[in-house]
Amino acid sequence: MDENRTASLPKNALDEIPTPNPNAVTITGLVKSNGRIEGYQLSDERIVSREEGVSLAKAGEIKGVGISHNKDTEYLKSIPDDSQNNNLSSLPTVKTF
């Protein structure tokens, strides 16, 4: 397999890569329950549910993510690039009260 096709494989795993708006926010933390991502903390300090995060990303309001799914559940994934530092899995877990 040539190098360009191999590099594009992770992006092919995404269902959709929305185009972010100029004022789009980033995800800065993950809200987890029993090890599962239930929501996201955004760079504007908002905490949104997983479903709200997907809707915001589809509307171009969150940058650096694509939409994927597992069975009937949609969720956000980092858009693959050469950096591990901006992967969602590298983000801290935030606590909500």
Side-chain angles (χ1 to χ4, degrees):
M1 198 177 279
D2 69 49
E3 203 170 301
N4 287 336
R5 280 186 36 197
T6 303
S8 68
L9 285 177
K11 285 187 180 181
N12 291 339
L14 297 171
D15 297 332
E16 181 180 349
I17 301 176
T19 301
N21 299 326
N23 59 344
V25 297
T26 58
I27 295 175
T28 58
L30 304 176
V31 178
K32 293 184 179 180
S33 175
N34 297 321
R36 295 177 50 100
I37 296 173
E38 299 292 332
Y40 309 98
Q41 180 180 37
L42 306 177
S43 57
D44 64 2
E45 300 301 320
R46 282 185 294 164
I47 293 184
V48 298
S49 69
R50 185 181 63 242
E51 295 85 0
E52 289 172 301
V54 168
S55 293
L56 289 169
K58 285 182 176 183
E61 296 183 35
I62 300 176
K63 61 184 167 187
V65 296
I67 294 33
S68 194
H69 75 281
N70 183 7
K71 298 180 184 167
D72 293 334
T73 302
E74 289 185 308
Y75 60 94
L76 301 178
K77 288 183 75 168
S78 302
I79 296 174
D81 59 16
D82 292 333
S83 173
Q84 296 294 316
N85 296 334
N86 61 359
N87 290 348
L88 293 183
S89 61
S90 298
L91 295 176
T93 298
V94 297
K95 299 203 184 301
T96 59
F97 299 104

